[in-house]
Amino acid sequence: MRADARRNRDKILEAARDVVAERGTDAPMELIARRAGVGVGTLYRRFPDRAVLLAALAEQYVHELMDALDHAAAAGPDAWTAVRAFVVHAVEESRGAVAAALAGTSAPEAREALVERLGVLVGQAQADGAMRPDADTGDIMDLLNVFACNPGVIPERFLPLMLDGLGRRSPGR
């Protein structure tokens, strides 16, 4: 892809992310093009229809989550700390409406890769005895969805409480 085409694609995706957050997945494509500073024709050359645009947006979002997970894994002293740091980051950066709007959008390969990477950390946290053995990766994904799909409804102070519920307390704590 040419550099100018890549820039236009990136501008369209950023504008789409903002517009979807404000107006939902049915927001006018013309508004997305206008916010991106490109013509409608350019938008449709890159993304022939709304479904293709939303799928690209969902894939980008999941890749951003994978980057955050990789960063948390590299920075954390242990797997449970990395899981917690990832969840906190994902909730803080979810842009609520975007995550909720994209929850059902197709990006299955990227989502599977995210779940697989998260599963490795969850398994390690459980092996270390830091995470409940009856909790799993699905529980972490459900936790992310609870906050992403209900922005402003669930107080953020509940996040540490929910994470504490997934962790195991060591003796004497």
Side-chain angles (χ1 to χ4, degrees), residues 17-43:
R17 187 177 203 160
D18 292 341
V19 170
V20 167
E22 294 166 12
R23 311 261 309 258
T25 58
D26 292 332
M29 297 289 273
E30 294 79 12
L31 177 59
I32 294 169
R34 189 169 48 249
R35 287 270 186 95
V38 301
V40 175
T42 299
L43 185 146

Side-chain angles (χ1 to χ4, degrees), residues 19-151:
V19 170
V20 167
E22 294 166 12
R23 311 261 309 258
T25 58
D26 292 332
M29 297 289 273
E30 294 79 12
L31 177 59
I32 294 169
R34 189 169 48 249
R35 287 270 186 95
V38 301
V40 175
T42 299
L43 185 146
Y44 280 106
R45 262 191 307 283
R46 300 286 163 247
F47 305 99
D49 61 38
R50 181 180 311 279
V52 173
L53 176 60
L54 292 176
L57 197 57
E59 187 165 345
Q60 180 186 53
Y61 179 69
V62 173
H63 281 288
E64 289 171 5
L65 288 177
M66 283 194 286
D67 290 345
L69 179 62
D70 291 345
H71 177 75
D78 56 62
W80 178 235
T81 302
V83 169
R84 288 181 68 100
F86 165 70
V87 170
V88 168
H89 173 82
V91 167
E92 289 174 351
E93 300 297 320
S94 70
R95 292 195 189 185
V98 173
L102 298 176
T105 305
S106 179
E109 296 87 12
R111 189 177 191 286
E112 286 176 25
L114 173 66
V115 170
E116 185 177 312
R117 287 183 188 175
L118 181 58
V120 170
L121 280 178
V122 166
Q124 185 60 52
Q126 289 170 325
D128 294 344
M131 187 172 169
R132 292 171 53 141
D134 60 337
D136 62 21
T137 306
D139 296 321
I140 300 293
M141 297 302 289
D142 288 344
L143 180 60
L144 293 177
N145 285 330
V146 163
F147 280 89
C149 296
N150 300 289

